[in-house]
């Protein structure tokens, strides 16, 4: 009996790799000889680097010191996969979780993400895979590009400030000294398809959750529009309306300007960790995320994993921190909510690993 455990992270609570470990430990208590195949999943956000590290034999972590979203130095890392692919995660270098409860909408930026990319380039990677979910900023990726060698100046020729605050004054863009991409190119993993600007763009859709007041959103959208106009001068191949341009506060657009290819995150992660091959040999697949609701069916990890399992004729079980009242779980063979198991959201969040172990025990007993 082969059980594939392909959980996403429980956002703000437990990384995907730790979640898979906990559920697997509970299953093993009931069925000690079960063949548990851990394939922690991600879609480009928090836990992407850990998912690769846990699933790809020979993956090597490299520590790096970068400037986090506050502008202060933090410890981070990038991952080297066998064959020369480097994996860098925005969430652990410039992510919103690094800010805690205090948001810095005008000043947080993506400098640390760019610095980690530079570290991977300096190490000689042949290819880069970049996860850009869970961003703390709406800087259009300017901090990242500046770390790669770009210059952004105001009307007086002075370098602009960090974050969205700087975008409001940018009048000149110089990308002539930006580092070259690695020979194998750059693939960007994202779980959103929003354009850079407009009603569905980075400022309007994601700005409020990063701390912007409603009254500021239009000004930030205007700044992103002006920034894009400066970058696209003479470059007809760049379109701020392209799907994913608005990901990570516009970092998707900045990476496209560098020459990177934007792809849906879950599919690329699944390919690199060999998820389809593991599912083909499985008796059951267990997937899940922190909060499963009506939006989870639109390309999030659980629905993506279930589609792969369905194609192989393998049943899928869902384990989530919470299952929303609007969620349709009828396509899953089993569906467990950690909140329901624990009795309350507070109890579940206090020790998610313990309740994942309990979920593993219950699934093993039921299957």
């Amino acid at each position: 009996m082969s059980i594939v455990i392909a959980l996403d992270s429980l956002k703000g609570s437990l990384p995907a790799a730790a979640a898979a470990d906990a559920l697997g430990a509970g299953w093993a208590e009931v069925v000690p000889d079960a063949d548990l195949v851990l394939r922690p999943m991600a879609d480009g956000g928090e836990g992407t680097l850990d998912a690769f590290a846990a699933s790809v034999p020979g993956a090597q972590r490299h520590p790096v010191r970068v400037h986090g979203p506050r502008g202060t130095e933090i410890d981070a890392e990038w991952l080297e996969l066998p064959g020369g692919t480097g994996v860098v995660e925005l969430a652990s270098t410039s992510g919103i979780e690094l800010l805690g409860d205090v948001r810095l909408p005008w000043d947080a930026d993506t400098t640390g993400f760019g610095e980690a990319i530079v570290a991977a380039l300096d190490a000689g990677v042949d290819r880069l895979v970049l996860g850009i979910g869970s961003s703390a900023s709406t800087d259009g990726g300017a901090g990242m590009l500046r770390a790669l060698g770009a210059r952004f100046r105001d009307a007086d020729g002075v370098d602009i400030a960090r974050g969205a605050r700087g975008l409001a004054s940018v009048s000149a863009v110089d990308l002539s000294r930006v580092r070259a991409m690695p020979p194998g190119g750059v693939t960007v993993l994202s779980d959103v398809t929003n354009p850079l600007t407009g009603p569905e763009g980075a400022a309007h859709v994601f700005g409020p959750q990063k701390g912007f007041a409603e009254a500021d959103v239009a000004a930030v959208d205007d700044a992103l529009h002006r920034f894009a106009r400066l970058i696209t001068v003479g470059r007809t191949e760049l379109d701020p309306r392209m799907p994913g341009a608005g990901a990570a506060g516009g970092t998707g657009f900045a990476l496209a300007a560098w020459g990177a290819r934007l792809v849906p995150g879950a599919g690329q992660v699944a390919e690199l960790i060999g998820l389809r091959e593991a599912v083909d040999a499985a008796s059951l697949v267990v997937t899940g995320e922190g909060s499963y609701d009506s939006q989870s069916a639109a390309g999030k990890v659980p629905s993506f994993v279930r589609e792969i399992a369905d194609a192989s004729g393998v049943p899928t079980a869902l384990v989530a921190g919470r299952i929303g009242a609007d969620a349709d779980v009828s396509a899953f063979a089993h569906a467990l909510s950690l909140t329901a198991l624990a009795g309350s959201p507070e109890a579940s969040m206090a020790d998610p690993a313990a309740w994942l172990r309990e979920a593993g025990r219950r699934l093993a007993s039921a299957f």
Side-chain angles (χ1 to χ4, degrees), residues 26-319:
W27 191 292
E29 291 179 25
V30 178
V31 187
D33 61 345
D35 177 20
L36 299 174
V37 181
L38 306 187
R39 290 292 185 271
M41 274 290 292
D43 52 19
E46 178 187 13
T48 297
L49 191 144
D50 286 340
F52 283 122
S55 303
V56 180
Q60 183 178 359
R61 295 178 185 268
H62 295 277
V64 61
R65 190 85 169 154
V66 303
H67 290 85
R70 296 182 186 280
T72 55
E73 288 193 334
I74 61 170
D75 290 316
E77 54 189 12
W78 64 277
L79 189 72
E80 184 178 3
L81 305 182
T85 293
V87 181
V88 184
E89 178 188 88
L90 187 148
S92 60
T93 54
S94 304
I96 196 166
E97 297 294 335
L98 299 173
L99 292 178
D101 295 331
V102 179
R103 300 290 183 255
L104 297 174
W106 288 104
D107 301 303
D109 80 341
T110 52
T111 294
F113 182 49
E115 290 170 338
I117 292 172
V118 168
L121 291 173
D122 287 346
V125 297
D126 180 69
R127 177 192 179 205
L128 280 171
V129 174
L130 308 177
I132 61 170
S134 307
S135 168
S137 64
T138 312
D139 75 337
M144 177 208 67
L145 286 174
R146 189 145 53 182
L148 288 170
R151 295 289 301 275
F152 304 106
R153 298 182 179 88
D154 62 18
D156 296 322
V158 178
D159 289 344
I160 64 172
R162 298 171 56 243
R165 189 181 307 281
L167 286 190
S169 63
V170 65
S171 63
V173 171
D174 180 4
L175 303 180
S176 64
R177 298 183 182 181
V178 169
R179 293 281 295 266
M181 291 197 303
V186 179
T187 300
V188 181
L189 313 181
S190 174
D191 66 341
V192 303
T193 58
N194 301 71
L196 179 64
T197 58
E200 300 300 317
H204 283 279
V205 176
F206 305 112
Q209 73 187 42
K210 295 176 184 180
F212 284 111
E214 288 294 337
D216 295 328
V217 168
V220 177
D221 187 65
D222 287 344
L224 287 169
H225 183 77
R226 183 170 60 255
F227 182 65
R229 194 166 61 242
L230 291 168
I231 286 183
T232 55
V233 171
R235 300 185 63 179
T236 56
E237 84 283 3
L238 274 179
D239 187 350
R241 298 168 298 179
M242 66 186 294
T251 304
F253 176 74
L255 286 165
W258 190 29
R261 180 173 65 101
L262 277 59
V263 302
Q268 188 70 18
V269 172
E271 179 181 335
L272 287 169
I273 68 175
L275 180 64
R276 294 180 189 275
E277 294 80 3
V279 168
D280 283 342
S283 306
L284 176 73
V285 176
V286 184
T287 188
E289 61 184 353
S291 178
Y292 187 86
D293 54 28
S294 60
Q295 295 184 11
S296 298
K300 296 294 186 179
V301 164
S303 59
F304 178 82
V305 172
R306 182 179 55 76
E307 288 171 4
I308 290 178
D310 286 350
S312 298
V314 179
T316 307
L318 172 72
V319 176

